[in-house]
Amino acid sequence: MHIKFILKNSLQAIKTNKSRSALTVLGIVIGISSIVLIMSIGRSAESLILREVETLGGAFVQINPGKDAQGPSSMASSLLLDSLKERDVEALKNKNNVPYLKDVTPSLMVPASVSYGSEIYRPTILGWTATWLADLYDIYPEEGNYFTEEDIKSLAPLAVIGQDVKKELFGSANALGKKIKIKNKYFRIVAILPPSGSVSSFMNVDEFIVIPYTVAQKYLLGVDHYQEIHIIAESEELVPQMVKDIELTLRDLHGIDDPKDDDFNVTTQGDIIDTIKLITSVLTVLLTSVAAISLVVGGVGIMNIMLVSVTERTREIGLRKALGATSKNVLHQFLIESIILTIIGGIIGISLGIAFSFLSALVLGRVVGPNWQFVVSIESMFLGLGVAGSVGLIFGYYPARKAARLSPIEALRHE
Amino acid sequence: MSKENHPLILVKDLSKIYDNGEVSTPAVQGVSFAIRKGEFVAIIGASGSGKSTLLHILGFLDKQSSGDYFFEEKAMTDYSEEDLALIRNEKMGFIFQSFNLLKKTTVFDNVRLPLIYSRIKESQWNQLTVEAIEKVGLAHRQNYETAKLSGGERQRVAIARALINQPQIIFADEPTGNLDSHSGRIIMDIIQKLHEDGHTVVLITHEKYTSEMAERIIELKDGQIVSDSRVSQRRFARQGFIK
């Protein structure tokens, strides 16, 4: 039997029961549009996070205490580990140990508020070296100067503040040289940063207060270790070699022979990107699987309606067989009918999914920020169509086989 | 024996028993007969006499419980399901009491239906369909949906559909059963003409008048043949005979 006539028959059967076909297809439409929407949001989230991570530059490397962080809890507990200390930074600075290191800073984050007179503000307080902002983000003070290596060594209570901090505490008044209070300790403002905005989702420079890391350690946190060590390599290409040098240097210093016993871990941009990709793809797969459940429900709907259709058209099946249709002809006709139904559902679902993705990008763009972009993955469209067709094939097979197996005379006698 | 003398249909001790697990009902019991090519045979009997069951077996729509059925000298049991479908398509034409047309489908598409399962080239389909529709006098209704036609016209569509593959044999199961006498006469006239054109016709009817339009009458009672005789005074529909 010619495929043209099978298609024509199937379309006619669908057209004959327009509202029933539309309702049947609804389940598939919901399933496919959910898949497209979820995959699109997943892609947008991934590209947003990756772009922000990439602003740090490929030459950025971070050392954390403890073994490889395996999850949020181990990340949190790593803050309490004290394996990274001053001697480590000194050893890393030695060109004989790590020749490709361009710059390094210990890093500590102080969870505290800042006040000036009656004004209180909760900024991001970071203990860094003086020039880290200049080296990593190319940001230089708008007023005043960064504190110096001398200031760090002498534990000078000095602070560099961002625009929001200035605005919240001083309004339009002059801030340079004023003393602000963090944890009952006074800090003199030596520099004010230009309006810089977010350098990533996690880092808004305008909310920064940067103080000498030694001061953060001794006066604010009361520790003698670092939470993290941040490093910039001479170039991105030299990062793998530099990581090896860092690991050898720290192992030697910490008396570690077996890499399994490492009490530190080195993370490159590549590692971070891989981890983010893994997390977003796992999340996307998870959510897509949830959406796929609705497709199964839709498929059962298709099967149900095709069974009704077979019962209703039993006489027609008998007639076709009497006129020479083989069981295979009948099987193909009903299979193609259910596949057409699901493909129509798939096409509508993909279109709706793209529309919803676009709307969600508009909304999320307002919530998350302009960096959120509308991304539609081509794979999701092919996946959607493929899945829709397969659902039609799988769930349409049983009714189609039932139709094909009807004996011509029993079918003709059917009332 | 020359090929011409071989019967088209040969039935030997054929029985059909319906068995639903609890009760077994014999519908046809040990019938034997032969139908030659070009014959016009009426099978007559009261309701429940087994005539429709017999026709369904002859038309490969059902299978016998026992006995032999040879079509063109080959036993039905020797044909595969696909062969049976092909023979139904190429060598048999069916006319049913209830027309069995596709709803919401035009006269043209209904008549063409057997062709889409046939081996005939698609380029010939339109011409064959138009010819078959003309033969039953419905050229002016070609693009009508069948639901808009009268009963008599619908049966003519069914006849055109039965003719389209130029079948060797036409099985007509109570073709006038759902029609008024005028329409019935037109239908019987067409069937008689088909016979004159050389088609073998097997007609099922419960009406004596209609059966006498055939050349031969096989009478069934309780699934058995009670008489098998030639019609001495044939009636012709064009002479306005029907009740």
Side-chain angles (χ1 to χ4, degrees):
Chain A
M1 188 184 172
H2 296 231
I3 184 79
K4 188 170 100 188
F5 287 93
I6 301 184
L7 285 173
K8 203 177 158 193
N9 279 338
S10 305
L11 284 172
Q12 189 156 18
I14 291 167
K15 230 165 71 185
T16 309
N17 290 300
K18 269 187 216 127
S19 53
R20 192 170 78 185
S21 304
L23 287 173
T24 310
V25 155
L26 197 60
I28 304 296
V29 170
I30 292 170
I32 299 290
S33 59
S34 314
I35 287 180
V36 172
L37 176 65
I38 288 165
M39 287 183 79
S40 160
I41 290 179
R43 275 300 178 82
S44 300
E46 187 184 278
S47 70
L48 172 81
I49 299 168
L50 288 181
R51 256 183 286 125
E52 301 207 337
V53 169
E54 279 158 7
T55 57
L56 289 171
F60 179 80
V61 169
Q62 180 176 322
I63 307 172
N64 287 75
K67 285 192 174 186
D68 268 353
Q70 296 294 329
S73 62
S74 57
M75 276 180 188
S77 64
S78 77
L79 292 174
L80 304 172
L81 296 173
D82 61 356
S83 57
L84 298 178
K85 293 187 175 164
E86 189 179 355
R87 57 177 183 146
D88 297 317
V89 174
E90 292 309 319
L92 293 173
K93 275 182 183 167
N94 187 336
K95 281 280 172 193
N96 293 327
N97 292 331
V98 190
Y100 302 130
L101 182 143
K102 185 179 161 198
D103 199 2
V104 56
T105 180
S107 174
L108 297 110
M109 194 181 267
V110 182
S113 316
V114 58
S115 63
Y116 178 75
S118 60
E119 303 292 337
I120 299 177
Y121 182 64
R122 191 157 181 107
T124 307
I125 303 170
L126 295 158
W128 274 353
T129 56
T131 54
W132 190 250
L133 271 173
D135 292 343
L136 188 61
Y137 297 119
D138 209 19
I139 295 172
Y140 293 90
E142 186 180 63
E143 289 177 68
N145 293 300
Y146 284 135
F147 47 80
T148 62
E149 286 296 318
E150 283 307 310
D151 295 328
I152 291 171
K153 273 182 195 156
S154 65
L155 274 68
L158 305 174
V160 175
I161 64 170
Q163 280 292 318
D164 287 358
V165 181
K166 178 184 178 258
K167 221 174 280 169
E168 292 294 330
L169 297 182
F170 301 98
S172 54
N174 182 30
L176 204 65
K178 300 271 168 50
K179 285 191 170 174
I180 51 176
K181 198 161 84 173
I182 304 168
K183 284 193 168 182
N184 290 321
K185 175 89 186 162
Y186 284 96
F187 288 78
R188 186 163 57 84
I189 297 170
V190 291
I192 296 160
L193 298 170
S196 308
S198 294
V199 288
S200 78
S201 289
F202 332 107
M203 294 281 193
N204 182 352
V205 173
D206 294 341
E207 294 172 359
F208 275 13
I209 294 181
V210 181
I211 58 175
Y213 65 88
T214 49
V215 177
Q217 268 184 303
K218 299 276 157 28
Y219 293 154
L220 299 182
L221 296 170
V223 296
D224 66 349
H225 63 270
Y226 308 131
Q227 290 166 353
E228 293 169 355
I229 296 173
H230 296 173
I231 293 169
I232 302 172
E234 294 283 357
S235 76
E236 198 174 330
E237 294 72 44
L238 296 171
V239 166
Q241 183 55 48
M242 186 182 77
V243 168
K244 274 182 203 157
D245 293 338
I246 291 170
E247 285 172 344
L248 289 175
T249 306
L250 292 182
R251 266 177 215 140
D252 188 37
L253 207 59
H254 296 189
I256 295 164
D257 297 325
D258 188 345
K260 277 189 215 152
D261 298 330
D262 279 355
D263 56 359
F264 63 91
N265 66 80
V266 184
T267 314
T268 63
Q269 283 300 92
D271 296 337
I272 295 173
I273 287 169
D274 287 347
T275 308
I276 288 167
K277 279 188 174 166
L278 181 71
I279 292 171
T280 52
S281 59
V282 166
L283 272 178
T284 306
V285 166
L286 195 76
L287 290 170
T288 308
S289 316
V290 174
I293 292 173
S294 68
L295 273 181
V296 175
V297 178
V300 173
I302 293 276
M303 181 153 69
N304 191 15
I305 224 68
M306 290 308 294
L307 281 173
V308 172
S309 180
V310 168
T311 308
E312 276 184 359
R313 285 155 63 194
T314 300
R315 275 181 79 96
E316 179 195 319
I317 296 163
L319 172 73
R320 286 178 186 273
K321 284 196 154 183
L323 298 182
T326 59
S327 297
K328 216 188 264 174
N329 292 148
V330 176
L331 181 87
H332 289 167
Q333 188 186 328
F334 279 86
L335 258 190
I336 285 179
E337 202 172 308
S338 66
I339 292 173
I340 288 180
L341 270 180
T342 51
I343 293 276
I344 290 174
I347 291 169
I348 299 173
I350 288 170
S351 316
L352 277 181
I354 292 172
F356 287 142
S357 306
F358 183 71
L359 287 178
S360 73
L362 285 183
V363 174
L364 286 168
R366 286 178 179 226
V367 177
V368 179
N371 283 341
W372 185 277
Q373 283 178 356
F374 167 59
V375 183
V376 166
S377 69
I378 303 290
E379 295 106 300
S380 74
M381 293 197 230
F382 283 109
L383 183 79
L385 270 189
V387 167
S390 313
V391 166
L393 189 69
I394 293 164
F395 289 93
Y397 184 74
Y398 172 66
R401 198 188 59 165
K402 204 178 161 197
R405 285 187 171 182
L406 285 172
S407 110
I409 192 60
E410 275 167 29
L412 272 174
R413 279 202 199 113
H414 185 86
E415 288 304 324
Chain B
M1 251 195 316
S2 75
K3 181 95 184 160
E4 283 301 305
N5 290 331
H6 283 297
L8 180 63
I9 281 175
L10 179 62
V11 169
K12 282 184 184 167
D13 201 20
L14 192 87
S15 294
K16 174 74 183 178
I17 297 164
Y18 290 109
D19 193 345
N20 68 359
E22 290 173 8
V23 190
S24 59
T25 318
V28 176
Q29 303 184 65
V31 302
S32 301
F33 60 87
I35 297 173
R36 279 179 296 106
K37 214 173 164 190
E39 255 194 305
F40 185 171
V41 181
I43 299 175
I44 187 168
S47 177
S49 60
K51 55 189 189 304
S52 285
T53 303
L54 184 58
L55 181 98
H56 293 149
I57 295 170
L58 296 182
F60 287 173
L61 297 174
D62 206 352
K63 282 179 179 155
Q64 71 268 34
S65 308
S66 64
D68 294 312
Y69 169 27
F70 297 89
F71 183 82
E72 289 189 321
E73 298 177 81
K74 195 172 168 185
M76 184 193 189
T77 44
D78 291 343
Y79 291 109
S80 69
E81 283 296 326
E82 299 246 318
D83 291 338
L84 295 178
L86 192 66
I87 292 173
R88 281 197 297 266
N89 182 257
E90 293 184 346
K91 298 190 173 176
M92 297 176 174
F94 293 92
I95 304 167
F96 303 96
Q97 181 177 355
S98 52
F99 323 134
N100 281 328
L101 299 175
L102 295 183
K103 289 174 203 161
K104 297 194 178 177
T105 307
T106 62
V107 168
F108 186 90
D109 285 348
N110 265 290
V111 173
R112 189 188 53 190
L113 191 58
L115 293 180
I116 67 176
Y117 301 110
S118 76
R119 295 184 289 190
I120 295 171
K121 278 187 187 155
E122 199 188 330
S123 55
Q124 295 176 270
W125 292 5
N126 277 1
Q127 194 198 338
L128 287 171
T129 309
V130 170
E131 280 172 10
I133 293 171
E134 279 171 358
K135 220 169 199 170
V136 297
L138 282 179
H140 59 299
R141 296 272 197 254
Q142 191 171 294
N143 295 317
Y144 277 50
E145 281 192 8
T146 51
K148 291 178 181 156
L149 304 181
S150 70
E153 286 175 324
R154 286 186 212 181
Q155 195 58 296
R156 278 147 73 188
V157 176
I159 293 174
R161 185 181 63 193
L163 287 180
I164 193 152
N165 280 343
Q166 290 297 315
Q168 291 199 8
I169 184 161
I170 292 171
F171 294 106
D173 188 358
E174 303 268 13
T176 59
N178 280 357
L179 303 177
D180 60 80
S181 61
H182 175 70
S183 303
R185 204 184 71 209
I186 294 171
I187 296 302
M188 284 312 299
D189 184 34
I190 295 173
I191 291 173
Q192 284 190 314
K193 278 184 187 146
L194 291 176
H195 170 236
E196 283 162 15
D197 288 347
H199 292 285
T200 310
V201 179
V202 176
L203 167 78
I204 295 283
T205 180
H206 64 279
E207 295 166 336
K208 199 163 182 301
Y209 292 111
T210 312
S211 71
E212 286 171 352
M213 292 185 195
E215 298 172 313
R216 173 183 163 197
I217 299 176
I218 296 175
E219 189 179 354
L220 284 183
K221 192 179 177 191
D222 297 331
Q224 291 176 319
I225 296 178
V226 290
S227 70
D228 183 348
S229 57
R230 302 206 69 77
V231 180
S232 51
Q233 265 206 312
R234 250 186 109 193
R235 298 174 192 268
F236 287 90
R238 76 200 69 147
Q239 290 165 0
F241 262 114
I242 291 182
K243 39 175 186 180

